[in-house]
Amino acid sequence: MQSDESARQGSRIDPWLDHYAARASGMVASEVRALFAVASRPEVVSLAGGMPNVSALPMDAVGALMADLLAERGAVALQYGSAQGDPGLRETICQVMAAEGIDARPDDVVVTVGSQQALDLVTRVFVDPGDVVVTEAPTYVTAIGVFAAYQADVVQVAMDEDGVDPQALAETFARLARAGRPAKLFYTVPTFQNPAGVTLSERRRPQVLEVCRSAGVLVLEDNPYGLLHLDSGEPMRALRADAPGDVVYLGSFSKTLAPGLRVGWALAPAAVRDKLVLAAESAMLSHSVFNQLAVDRYLRTQPWQTQLKDYREMYRERRDAMLGALEQYMPEGVSWTRPGGGFFVWVTLPEGLDSKAMLPRAIQSRVAFVPGTGFYADGGGRREMRLSYCFPPPERIRDGVRRLADVITDELRLRDTFGA
């Protein structure tokens, strides 16, 4: 006869369910990651993932650089390193940030495993269960996942074509303070935002900084796309450049070099930096010295600014292909953003349509996108979707948009026949 214990364990999928920490309940699968298995099928045009086109890198030069690094500094590159990161790379990172007006010292940079780890470390250092983090609406899907994993309450503030509204942000901070729940952080992707593609305007940037300063809220500026400006001649000035004591800046080489190297960083005020280093030590001791030295050597020996120009030209062609196809194929009532850089276009569907419910039919028509619901903490965004133009070539983008427009047209016919 089966024992009570074995019967109990056999009646559930996970016998350890009762043992997990409370914060594990906030760990949910990203809607973007969940799409990868289907969207990677060759017959599907994926307008979903924000994967940079690394095939544009000079692979021969990168391979030779790594071989030389092993031959010349292998004993260092394959050893443990500092949790703060390689000093030479931190110096080079400061030179990269200077393009966005940031005057930084290498001592205030913490190298991380992509900017995603930097986001996790900042949240670990600042957020207790029940604390409030304010973000834009919509916002980066994995940021919502990080905040949820630390049991934060995410409150979102709407954006328009000029980014987050400073007045609405101030009113949100005031409302939270009156309720005895003051915001701990304001998380923002101010330049070529993921997912909406919009950029916080020059006029609003000092206003947003003043609102946060007056409310005593630390700004968490996530800026992986800042150097991928497709229209303007110069990068946008970073928020950190004008408020070094009030902003923690997150950067990454994933979009401008290669995501597989997993090298990012946080630039923080000195006291915050010390906490981040301690948090990094407890999380991973040190990350890949080899990858850090490889990135540093690439930036010091290769014409990386010319490579960035090549990236910008490639992504500009793909963005223009997507915007042109949207104009050509989309039915009346569909609207979208027109990004000046980055990877994404944000599409709003007519009333009565549901992007998440529509996704299986889109996959059946061999096109993939990300439903808007993943970018809202409260499950909003049913009429919205994110399209990415960074990876497919222009002809595939046009084909994917045409397929998607056909799906939306069919959905509109169903709505008109049966109701929303």
Side-chain angles (χ1 to χ4, degrees):
M1 180 178 292
Q2 189 179 34
S3 69
D4 290 343
E5 177 63 19
S6 62
R8 185 188 69 81
Q9 292 192 2
S11 65
R12 57 170 48 170
I13 295 173
D14 184 358
W16 299 104
L17 185 63
D18 296 334
H19 296 256
Y20 291 132
R23 61 182 170 273
S25 63
M27 298 178 181
V28 295
S30 160
E31 296 202 13
V32 180
R33 301 297 174 206
L35 276 170
F36 274 2
V38 173
S40 62
R41 285 158 38 190
E43 70 273 18
V44 175
V45 179
S46 177
L47 306 178
M51 299 180 296
N53 185 15
V54 295
S55 62
L57 276 174
M59 295 298 183
D60 290 346
V62 172
L65 176 152
M66 290 186 171
D68 290 344
L69 175 60
L70 274 177
E72 297 167 13
R73 300 194 65 194
V76 174
L78 301 179
Q79 189 55 270
Y80 288 118
S82 161
Q84 186 169 358
D86 176 72
L89 176 59
R90 288 189 276 117
E91 181 179 311
T92 302
I93 286 171
C94 290
Q95 297 170 13
V96 171
M97 291 189 293
E100 297 169 324
I102 296 174
D103 182 13
R105 300 182 309 128
D107 281 352
D108 291 333
V109 174
V110 181
V111 181
T112 56
V113 183
S115 61
Q116 186 68 40
Q117 188 196 35
L119 175 60
D120 185 276
L121 295 177
V122 172
T123 307
R124 184 196 301 192
V125 165
F126 279 96
V127 174
D128 288 317
D131 281 346
V132 177
V133 175
V134 176
T135 78
E136 298 146 338
T139 194
Y140 174 44
V141 59
T142 312
I144 293 177
V146 170
F147 301 141
Y150 285 98
Q151 299 170 276
D153 182 9
V154 178
V155 174
Q156 296 186 271
V157 180
M159 296 188 297
D160 57 27
E161 65 272 11
D162 290 322
V164 71
D165 179 4
Q167 182 62 34
L169 185 63
E171 291 171 358
T172 299
F173 288 156
R175 173 173 54 82
L176 290 167
R178 287 195 300 270
R181 303 173 62 240
K184 274 284 187 76
L185 300 171
F186 172 53
Y187 172 76
T188 175
V189 187
T191 306
F192 317 132
Q193 199 239 21
N194 179 3
V198 303
T199 294
L200 185 63
S201 66
E202 289 187 20
R203 178 179 60 86
R204 284 186 177 179
R205 291 188 175 224
Q207 296 173 1
V208 166
L209 287 171
E210 181 55 35
V211 165
C212 292
R213 186 180 298 114
S214 297
V217 177
L218 181 69
V219 177
L220 188 51
E221 178 182 16
D222 197 352
N223 191 33
Y225 309 100
L227 297 181
L228 294 176
H229 48 95
L230 305 183
D231 296 324
S232 60
E234 297 295 330
M236 200 80 171
R237 186 173 175 86
L239 297 176
R240 165 75 192 205
D242 295 315
D246 301 315
V247 178
V248 174
Y249 176 100
L250 309 184
S252 174
F253 292 111
S254 291
K255 307 303 187 293
T256 56
L257 181 50
L261 292 171
R262 307 307 303 133
V263 177
W265 71 91
L267 173 66
V272 177
R273 173 212 61 206
D274 291 343
K275 296 291 188 185
L276 295 180
V277 172
L278 292 174
E281 286 178 347
S282 68
M284 46 91 193
L285 190 60
S286 70
H287 67 87
S288 170
V289 175
F290 178 82
N291 288 0
Q292 293 180 70
L293 296 182
V295 170
D296 187 42
R297 182 167 292 204
Y298 176 86
L299 295 171
R300 290 177 186 269
T301 63
Q302 300 297 310
W304 64 272
Q305 291 177 320
T306 301
Q307 181 63 43
L308 266 180
K309 181 181 177 183
D310 293 343
Y311 271 144
R312 288 195 288 263
E313 291 174 355
M314 176 183 62
Y315 293 138
R316 183 185 304 117
E317 180 185 21
R318 296 175 183 212
R319 179 207 56 183
D320 291 348
M322 176 168 283
L323 293 178
L326 288 167
E327 291 282 359
Q328 181 178 357
Y329 295 120
M330 281 296 163
E332 185 176 353
V334 179
S335 62
W336 54 88
T337 59
R338 290 166 173 79
F343 287 176
F344 305 110
V345 172
W346 189 244
V347 175
T348 301
L349 300 172
E351 290 284 352
L353 267 60
D354 185 324
S355 63
K356 191 168 186 177
M358 192 175 74
L359 181 58
R361 291 185 279 278
I363 296 294
Q364 189 175 26
S365 297
R366 295 172 294 133
V367 62
F369 60 85
V370 184
T373 51
F375 304 97
Y376 289 87
D378 63 358
R382 289 279 176 180
R383 288 177 50 213
E384 297 165 322
M385 63 174 67
R386 191 190 76 178
L387 304 183
S388 172
Y389 52 79
C390 55
F391 193 73
E395 61 274 13
R396 289 276 284 173
I397 290 172
R398 284 187 282 267
D399 190 29
V401 172
R402 179 187 56 78
R403 297 178 191 181
L404 180 59
D406 288 344
V407 173
I408 294 172
T409 299
D410 289 343
E411 292 289 301
L412 288 170
R413 291 195 189 103
L414 287 171
R415 181 202 65 180
D416 294 343
T417 302
F418 299 105

